[in-house]
Amino acid sequence: MTTPSLFDPYQLGGITLANRLVMAPLTRNRAGEGLVPTPLMAEYYGQRAGAGLIITEATQISATAQGYQDTPGCYTPEQVAGWRRVTDAVHAKGGRIFVQLWHVGRVSHRSLQPEGAAPLAPSAVQANTKTYVNNAFAPTDEPRALTLEEIPGVVADFAHAARCAIEAGFDGVEIHGANGYLVDQFLRDGANKRTDAYGGSIENRTRFLKEVVEAVIGAIGAERTGIRLSPVTPANDLSDSNPQALFSHVVDVLETLKPVYIHMIEGATGGPRDIAPEFDFAALRARFSGTWMVNNGYDRAMAEAAIASGAADLVAFGKAFISTPDLVERLRRGAPLNELDTAHLYGGGAQGYTDYPTLDAA
Ligand SMILES: Cc1cc2nc3c(=O)[nH]c(=O)nc-3n(C[C@H](O)[C@H](O)[C@H](O)COP(=O)(O)O)c2cc1C
């Protein structure tokens, strides 16, 4: 058997990826009216179609799922039509693309919620974190706990958005189970104080994730369903008393449901990889027989080592794909990357978005 390389094709369920480099989900706050993806977004993703797989920015499953201004949705016909432009642009260049489906839960602001209502969460525990509204960062509002009767509706919203995604031409969806948003809020006991079937024990706290994954798989099939997790990230003020036990159970549940991949953020999202040195990611990987995608602070050498050793099947790059549309080609040639324009990450137009040069243009 030859050692696999980053630049070898990879069979992900029913689709073939041209290489093992994935564009990580990256929120850019540039959706248009009605939270519809714009032609500029189609251009941006089309420029990055050299990735083996693109995972889009986090995308709302419903109106209550929104927590930041100008982030796109995937639940109305207009949004589906907007995303169709994006998937067409990527497919025309031979790329593959999944949409990341999210509900922000408590990481929201009343000004973004229907009728100015409180954001929805497992429990009425406010997150000590900021959201982005009216072109500025603002503290999140105190959430309201979802009633037991409301939970199936949120699960159904994930399935509806997944069906919309397939209608929009996506190759699949990634359930956003990471970074302190709704699915993660149910999982971790820092935010989940429920005393019903969705709180308390690890099994109960995993119930919402399990139902969401089952519903999405029921809607579009396991081969088109991936999920992102971040067991030790403190992002959005989230914590757990025993992440190793919790996420061992989560992965065991996923092993029975067989989503096409698990996308694992190692360490603090966008921060130190060694924030929890005692946490054993390899032990999680050993519990799952499907595709294992890793992310957080990878460079070419680290990514090559992970693929060659079999520690990972796919490696996702975030910031490098923002600054460098032709990242795969640059890594292949050992060429330097563009510098990241941190002033234009969130919101705005083409500047710091679609104006990064490729190697051939530079
Ligand atoms: C501007 C920006 C937006 C991000 N948006 C998302 C997002 O929508 N969904 C998500 O799961 N992670 C998001 N992340 C986290 C990235 O996907 C990734 O985990 C992080 O940047 C670490 O990878 P890197 O070191 O390769 O950049 C975002 C990160 C950045 C810098």
Side-chain angles (χ1 to χ4, degrees):
M1 221 177 83
T2 54
T3 311
S5 142
L6 266 181
F7 305 103
D8 289 342
Y10 184 80
Q11 192 65 31
L12 181 69
I15 59 173
T16 306
L17 313 183
N19 57 68
R20 297 164 192 224
L21 287 154
V22 176
M23 178 175 168
L26 295 155
T27 289
R28 306 301 307 274
N29 309 77
R30 282 165 168 87
E33 206 178 321
L35 308 179
V36 172
T38 63
L40 188 68
M41 287 169 64
E43 185 185 343
Y44 163 78
Y45 283 112
Q47 289 172 338
R48 287 155 180 79
L53 177 68
I54 292 172
I55 304 165
T56 71
E57 63 208 274
T59 297
Q60 286 97 239
I61 59 163
S62 67
T64 63
Q66 189 180 0
Y68 304 83
Q69 81 180 50
D70 303 329
T71 50
C74 189
Y75 55 90
T76 71
E78 294 76 19
Q79 292 162 356
V80 168
W83 280 122
R84 172 57 78 171
R85 283 194 287 250
V86 173
T87 61
D88 282 350
V90 171
H91 289 150
K93 292 191 176 171
R96 296 293 191 173
I97 182 165
F98 276 36
V99 60
Q100 188 186 48
L101 296 182
W102 73 341
H103 191 302
V104 297
R106 66 180 186 164
V107 186
S108 188
H109 195 267
R110 280 177 179 265
S111 66
L112 293 170
Q113 290 293 315
E115 284 144 36
L120 301 172
S123 304
V125 181
Q126 191 167 3
N128 181 18
T129 185
K130 292 214 167 24
T131 178
Y132 187 76
V133 285
N134 302 319
N135 302 313
F137 287 96
T140 58
D141 277 319
E142 185 175 327
R144 167 175 81 73
L146 282 157
T147 66
L148 200 54
E149 293 70 33
E150 286 173 321
I151 291 177
V154 182
V155 172
D157 287 342
F158 270 97
H160 173 252
R163 280 190 291 269
C164 288
I166 297 307
E167 201 187 321
F170 282 106
D171 297 297
V173 310
E174 174 174 288
I175 296 164
H176 197 342
N179 295 347
Y181 298 109
L182 185 63
V183 173
D184 208 10
Q185 289 160 28
F186 269 95
L187 288 177
R188 298 207 256 168
D189 56 18
N192 183 343
K193 306 293 180 191
R194 299 179 74 94
T195 53
D196 59 15
Y198 292 87
S201 67
I202 282 175
E203 288 73 18
N204 280 357
R205 283 183 276 131
T206 306
R207 190 176 312 280
F208 182 72
L209 172 146
K210 180 168 182 278
E211 291 179 355
V212 168
V213 176
E214 279 171 342
V216 170
I217 287 177
I220 65 168
E223 288 210 334
R224 298 195 286 197
T225 304
I227 183 164
R228 191 172 216 212
L229 303 171
S230 56
V232 296
T233 196
N236 289 314
D237 192 26
L238 214 49
S239 62
D240 191 77
S241 56
N242 190 349
Q244 194 80 49
L246 170 61
F247 282 88
S248 297
H249 178 71
V250 168
V251 173
D252 288 351
V253 166
L254 292 173
E255 176 63 11
T256 66
L257 301 178
K258 305 239 175 303
V260 71
Y261 69 72
I262 294 179
H263 182 179
M264 194 57 73
I265 300 176
E266 299 164 333
T269 312
R273 291 177 49 79
D274 60 355
I275 187 168
E278 71 290 352
F279 193 88
D280 188 348
F281 283 97
L284 292 189
R285 204 257 151 105
R287 301 172 99 98
F288 187 67
S289 56
T291 294
W292 197 257
M293 187 191 302
V294 294
N295 167 251
N296 203 27
Y298 277 82
D299 60 16
R300 176 181 163 155
M302 288 165 67
E304 278 193 324
I307 297 291
S309 71
D313 300 305
L314 299 170
V315 181
F317 284 71
K319 293 178 288 294
F321 260 115
I322 293 179
S323 69
T324 308
D326 54 342
L327 179 66
V328 174
E329 199 44 39
R330 300 245 198 150
L331 294 182
R332 200 195 303 269
R333 296 201 221 166
L337 311 187
N338 297 327
E339 203 177 312
L340 186 70
D341 173 0
T342 52
H344 296 95
L345 288 176
Y346 306 108
Q351 189 177 4
Y353 190 54
T354 49
D355 61 354
Y356 287 105
T358 58
L359 198 55
D360 294 335

